[in-house]
Amino acid sequence: MKNYLLLLTLFCLALMEVKAQNPHKDDFLTSDFHKKRREALRALMPPNTVAVFFSNPVRNRANDVDYVYHQDPNFFYMTGHKEPHSMVLIFKDNLNFNGKETNEILFVRQHNALMEMYEGGRLGKDGAPEKLGINMVFEGTEFGDFNLDFSQFDKVMFYKFKDDVRDHREKGDLYEMIQEFKTKVGYESKDLAIEPHKTNIDLRSLDQMMAKLRGIKEKEELDLLRKAVDISTLAQNEVMKAIKPGMSETEIQGLHEFIFKKYRAEYEGYPSIVGAGHNGCVLHYIENYKPEVEDGELILMDLGAEYHGYTADVTRTIPVNGKFSENQKLIYDLVYKAQEEARKICKEGTSFSELTKITQKVINEGLVELGIYKSLNPEDITNPDTGRNRYYPHGCCHHIGLDVHDKGEYAELKENMVITIEPGIYITEGSPADKKWWNIPVRIEDDFLVTKDGCEILSDLAPRKSEDIEKLMEQPSAFDNLVLPELESHH
Ligand code: GLY
Ligand code: MN
Ligand code: MN
């Protein structure tokens, strides 16, 4: 009997092992995750209130082509539903609707054989209950005649409507649902503008609640974020090995994004930034156009894989030829020092502004030491045209998650927040610094999980120290042997 049990245990362990190693495992968020998030929202909602979320609009790229659809992150967080033309009502308390008790109602697109032939199947109100775990589901077309009196609630909480919702002239589309909703809640009534106390509409509280919820990551979200960050840093490493003078910025972007896709990250969480030399000084440079990156230049690469909705945000700055010049290294190591000093104080209880201040202090003092700033006087370190710090003109930290600049509270750090620390120095051509510093852009951006007494660097798979970057860049690359035909050779 004992042996039998032992064998059974071993067998089960072996099965678990197989499952753990299966690279095709289904690691999407479950309907249970989203259900618990709705419960968590209810716990924050005052009595007798309803929260309403709308899906993102479909945005047009040009003519017959729309942008790849991206769900509104709040709507996704609450429902897991990825389709457009949807709306969800989340009630604080159970209410009786058409003889059924419920505390949530979802509206989805109706089936359409022709459109589904082009775009693939829609979940529909037949498929939604099982897939999403929401029992009461209707079609958007049913909302107009919907018998729900919104005046019964103390508060109807929602976000301001996005102003780029197109009228698709389809029954029950997002445009129509919003129009009907506005009528039902009296959105356009004079009361709202003139006597706000007369309305139960609340356009502010929901955002505060969402920041509270989304800013603290659940275990399932952390798993996805770790994966997104691992993929992004793995790509940084492979590109460090592969990069050579003469490659184009576009090609380097392509190497990163190929690796994202190889590891099944569906999208980039934001447009990839790959800028060599002075292009690196443009903070959100996304053209990535330079045809040949040059020996002697630094290249700044800020890219984040989005895995099942969650995005990393990682920047590495490396010398195209594999070796930092003396001046490049001085600037690089200063940015590294700023990030390190922030990392050391990054823990529960530290404020975002303390992180910002410490990176500013290290960078400003370091630039004075290098003779790049004359002094710490505001007139010496401020660019009068932008009002920002001349060489470190951006913030240092933000939450990441479903959005790259994620929703979250920006006061004190709390356990299980995931944030970036991303100091940078960008010395543009023509700036007052000595010419020898011109066109040096450096940003080092990493993703940190905040813990009670410190933080974990999620992105430390990719080297951050200048010496470690140089060492990795000496290694051979899988792309070294990738030889493709000349484009002209086909003619
Ligand atoms: N990639 C945008 C940012 O670093 O905030
Ligand atoms: Mn960032
Ligand atoms: Mn970034």
Side-chain angles (χ1 to χ4, degrees):
M1 183 64 185
K2 246 192 194 158
N3 275 346
Y4 172 71
L5 269 182
L6 182 70
L7 272 176
L8 189 70
T9 313
L10 282 174
F11 178 68
C12 289
L13 282 174
L15 265 187
M16 280 162 66
E17 184 65 15
V18 169
K19 207 169 165 228
Q21 285 175 358
N22 182 355
H24 304 306
K25 72 175 188 238
D26 180 354
D27 56 357
F28 287 93
L29 292 174
T30 62
S31 60
D32 202 45
F33 166 83
H34 299 287
K35 197 185 185 80
K36 286 196 180 120
R37 298 293 81 209
R38 296 194 293 278
E39 282 305 329
L41 175 64
R42 278 190 195 97
L44 297 178
M45 287 164 62
N48 194 33
T49 55
V50 57
V52 185
F53 296 90
F54 294 89
S55 61
N56 250 351
V58 174
R59 282 144 178 155
N60 185 254
R61 186 167 188 267
N63 198 19
D64 281 345
V65 179
D66 290 329
Y67 283 104
V68 173
Y69 186 68
H70 184 69
Q71 187 54 280
D72 173 76
N74 285 325
F75 187 85
F76 176 75
Y77 187 81
M78 283 299 153
T79 64
H81 191 39
K82 293 181 192 154
E83 292 181 27
H85 303 295
S86 311
M87 168 173 100
V88 68
L89 312 176
I90 298 172
F91 307 106
K92 169 77 177 183
D93 317 292
N94 269 4
L95 54 80
N96 192 298
F97 191 81
N98 288 350
K100 263 204 208 158
E101 286 274 307
T102 192
N103 58 6
E104 50 202 24
I105 304 177
L106 177 70
F107 291 84
V108 299
R109 290 189 297 187
Q110 63 271 35
H111 285 291
N112 177 327
L114 182 64
M115 290 315 292
E116 288 179 65
M117 180 180 81
Y118 277 96
E119 296 172 354
R122 297 178 174 183
L123 203 46
K125 72 173 176 182
D126 50 328
E130 200 197 317
K131 171 100 195 286
L132 305 175
I134 298 176
N135 292 325
M136 198 172 277
V137 185
F138 295 91
E139 291 174 350
T141 47
E142 295 175 274
F143 183 57
D145 298 327
F146 211 67
N147 191 19
L148 181 71
D149 176 10
F150 282 94
S151 71
Q152 71 181 289
F153 300 107
D154 288 350
K155 280 181 176 195
V156 181
M157 303 185 291
F158 52 98
Y159 277 87
K160 283 203 186 101
F161 299 106
K162 300 193 171 110
D163 54 16
D164 58 350
V165 180
R166 273 183 300 153
D167 185 355
H168 292 254
R169 299 180 197 287
E170 271 171 50
K171 284 216 77 52
D173 67 7
L174 181 66
Y175 184 87
E176 192 177 288
M177 273 193 291
I178 288 176
Q179 296 311 314
E180 287 159 352
F181 179 77
K182 283 180 176 174
T183 309
K184 284 178 197 291
V185 301
Y187 183 76
E188 249 129 20
S189 85
K190 287 190 262 21
D191 288 351
L192 191 59
I194 299 163
E195 293 180 273
H197 59 276
K198 275 207 173 164
T199 168
N200 61 357
I201 291 175
D202 178 342
L203 297 173
R204 280 202 316 205
S205 306
L206 198 51
D207 191 50
Q208 291 158 9
M209 293 174 199
M210 293 310 291
K212 220 178 212 107
L213 295 175
R214 282 179 52 193
I216 310 284
K217 268 57 184 184
E218 298 292 304
K219 153 102 182 47
E220 297 92 321
E221 297 180 284
L222 288 175
D223 289 345
L224 297 181
L225 271 170
R226 281 180 192 279
K227 185 100 177 220
V229 174
D230 281 349
I231 294 171
S232 308
T233 45
L234 201 146
Q236 290 281 1
N237 288 356
E238 291 309 310
V239 170
M240 285 185 203
K241 293 189 251 170
I243 210 160
K244 285 183 190 60
M247 284 180 164
S248 72
E249 289 174 346
T250 312
E251 181 181 1
I252 294 161
Q253 172 189 358
L255 295 180
H256 282 274
E257 292 175 8
F258 166 71
I259 295 167
F260 290 2
K261 301 260 186 299
K262 174 77 185 163
Y263 293 93
R264 296 169 185 247
E266 294 92 341
Y267 305 107
E268 298 85 55
Y270 52 92
S272 300
I273 299 168
V274 178
H278 69 91
N279 291 342
C281 295
V282 180
L283 298 180
H284 287 172
Y285 171 74
I286 56 175
E287 285 85 3
N288 307 340
Y289 177 69
K290 188 169 184 163
E292 293 189 6
V293 302
E294 293 168 40
D295 197 330
E297 284 183 321
L298 289 183
I299 182 163
L300 184 154
M301 308 182 292
D302 180 349
L303 305 94
E306 182 182 302
Y307 188 79
H308 295 359
Y310 285 79
T311 187
D313 186 6
V314 178
T315 307
R316 288 292 179 270
T317 308
I318 64 171
V320 166
N321 64 13
K323 279 261 173 272
F324 288 93
S325 74
E326 202 184 316
N327 290 334
Q328 288 168 349
K329 191 168 152 56
L330 285 168
I331 300 294
Y332 187 95
D333 291 348
L334 179 55
V335 176
Y336 176 76
K337 185 177 170 202
Q339 196 196 38
E340 273 298 277
E341 292 307 309
R343 181 186 65 79
K344 287 181 200 157
I345 62 162
C346 174
K347 59 166 192 267
E348 180 157 292
T350 299
S351 67
F352 276 83
S353 66
E354 284 172 288
L355 291 175
T356 307
K357 276 193 198 123
I358 201 161
T359 58
Q360 286 169 341
K361 180 171 157 39
V362 172
I363 285 178
N364 290 341
E365 289 177 359
L367 289 178
V368 170
E369 233 166 83
L370 292 172
I372 293 174
Y373 284 144
K374 277 201 218 101
S375 76
L376 291 174
N377 290 338
E379 2 9 317
D380 287 334
I381 64 174
T382 308
N383 179 339
D385 296 332
T386 62
R388 297 273 181 96
N389 187 300
R390 189 178 284 281
Y391 300 122
Y392 176 28
H394 59 72
C396 106
C397 305
H398 57 83
H399 292 270
I400 59 168
L402 289 170
D403 280 303
V404 61
H405 294 173
D406 208 36
K407 220 157 249 319
E409 291 182 312
Y410 280 88
E412 278 191 359
L413 297 180
K414 291 186 183 144
E415 190 180 16
N416 291 336
M417 285 183 170
V418 181
I419 62 159
T420 65
I421 302 180
E422 50 175 304
I425 296 176
Y426 315 85
I427 309 182
T428 49
E429 195 169 325
S431 70
D434 189 287
K435 268 192 178 143
K436 67 180 182 187
W437 304 109
W438 285 3
N439 294 326
I440 297 185
V442 176
R443 175 159 68 252
I444 309 175
E445 175 170 31
D446 283 272
D447 302 335
F448 296 81
L449 169 63
V450 179
T451 61
K452 279 247 178 282
D453 46 18
C455 63
E456 181 191 343
I457 312 187
L458 301 181
S459 45
D460 63 354
L461 188 62
R464 295 186 294 139
K465 277 193 184 157
S466 50
E467 306 87 84
D468 295 342
I469 288 173
E470 289 178 343
K471 230 176 267 155
L472 182 60
M473 290 185 76
E474 286 171 8
Q475 288 189 20
S477 152
F479 294 111
D480 287 344
N481 300 319
L482 179 73
V483 180
L484 297 174
E486 291 293 324
L487 205 49
E488 292 81 18
S489 64
H490 293 283
H491 298 292

